[in-house]
Amino acid sequence: MQLTRGKMLGALAATAVAGSLAGAWIGLPGGEQARAAAGSGADEVVVAHADDALPSVTGADWVTHADQVAVVRPTAEKEIPASAEEKEAGEGYIGRSATLSLERVLWSRAGAPAAPESVTLDVAGWTFKGEERHKFAVHDAPRLEQGHTYIVALAHEDDGSWSLLGSGGVLPYDAGTVGNGESEGAVHTVAKADKANRPLSVAARAGAQSDKSLEELAQGRSAEALVSLLNSAKPEPGAR
């Protein structure tokens, strides 16, 4: 059975609580680890390394497994309380759901269900110990915070709901630039690439079929460049 992203985040956070708040590295299933990012107090972020249920890093991953790719903006969020057992223990995980408003659909899989106007998803929340609370994040992935813009790859589930493709299926997109904005709970600024809004070269489009990440190929460019990469990528044969 595959975990949903929300359950995965909760499981990772619960594992991370035991050691990460003290700044220690701890083991996760499959040899992955969690760590407390640099900083202290309210600035500290607990970061976990984990495997996604589906690949979500390359352009081929996106066009194979995603149904819709869109520019989104988080417009609301809600805390998901810790369990009674965690509250009694005085440490654990506080979940978070975020409502994402779709501002623009960039790419759609042929025959995919129409993109919704908004989606509400379980996203990274917080770990707590006593009165201290720290942001939780998946390694190299945005937390999806209000005040920022993102490009997301969405998958339509069998039960009719929508989910994020995976941790690699969310890219910062503040000020119309891929890689610019929030990731791991911190704000990053990247310089716009030369000729950012011009068509990608043949070599760059060929990179969409490589094992390079989609974010790396589109870094500093616009959504239109990312769409060009998706249109150049080929889905994996035989994948649904």
Side-chain angles (χ1 to χ4, degrees), residues 28-95:
L28 288 176
E32 299 295 344
Q33 296 178 309
R35 65 180 172 85
S40 60
D43 295 327
E44 187 172 298
V45 181
V46 176
V47 180
H49 292 242
D51 292 326
D52 291 321
L54 291 173
S56 60
V57 175
T58 68
D61 294 338
W62 282 39
V63 299
T64 299
H65 302 291
D67 291 297
Q68 300 285 351
V69 174
V71 176
V72 304
R73 183 180 293 273
T75 53
E77 66 175 45
K78 180 180 178 181
E79 285 190 11
I80 302 173
S83 68
E85 292 79 8
E86 289 172 315
K87 290 178 180 178
E88 184 176 354
E91 60 181 355
Y93 179 69
I94 300 169

Side-chain angles (χ1 to χ4, degrees), residues 186-205:
V187 177
H188 304 268
T189 302
V190 299
K192 282 193 175 183
D194 291 339
K195 304 177 183 178
N197 294 310
R198 296 186 184 181
L200 291 168
S201 66
V202 173
R205 291 197 300 271

Side-chain angles (χ1 to χ4, degrees), residues 44-222:
E44 187 172 298
V45 181
V46 176
V47 180
H49 292 242
D51 292 326
D52 291 321
L54 291 173
S56 60
V57 175
T58 68
D61 294 338
W62 282 39
V63 299
T64 299
H65 302 291
D67 291 297
Q68 300 285 351
V69 174
V71 176
V72 304
R73 183 180 293 273
T75 53
E77 66 175 45
K78 180 180 178 181
E79 285 190 11
I80 302 173
S83 68
E85 292 79 8
E86 289 172 315
K87 290 178 180 178
E88 184 176 354
E91 60 181 355
Y93 179 69
I94 300 169
R96 183 169 65 101
S97 66
T99 298
L100 311 180
S101 294
L102 275 67
E103 297 193 336
R104 180 160 57 112
V105 175
L106 301 175
W107 177 92
S108 302
R109 179 183 58 78
E117 293 184 359
S118 67
V119 293
T120 298
L121 307 169
D122 286 346
V123 296
W126 305 266
T127 60
F128 74 94
K129 187 172 184 179
E131 297 300 318
E132 289 188 7
R133 178 189 291 202
H134 302 273
K135 288 181 178 181
F136 178 78
V138 173
H139 173 66
D140 201 26
R143 296 182 74 252
L144 289 164
E145 297 182 343
Q146 292 185 74
H148 296 282
T149 304
Y150 306 87
I151 294 175
V152 300
L154 296 171
H156 191 253
E157 304 291 347
D158 291 340
D159 63 2
S161 64
W162 290 87
S163 67
L164 295 174
L165 182 58
S167 57
V170 185
L171 305 180
Y173 192 60
D174 284 358
T177 304
V178 175
N180 199 58
E182 181 272 320
S183 185
E184 287 190 357
V187 177
H188 304 268
T189 302
V190 299
K192 282 193 175 183
D194 291 339
K195 304 177 183 178
N197 294 310
R198 296 186 184 181
L200 291 168
S201 66
V202 173
R205 291 197 300 271
Q209 282 302 108
S210 72
D211 59 0
K212 290 185 177 180
S213 73
L214 188 62
E215 182 173 13
E216 179 183 359
L217 292 169
Q219 186 89 347
R221 293 183 175 272
S222 65

Side-chain angles (χ1 to χ4, degrees), residues 6-18:
K7 291 180 179 178
M8 179 193 74
L9 289 171
L12 289 175
T15 308
V17 164

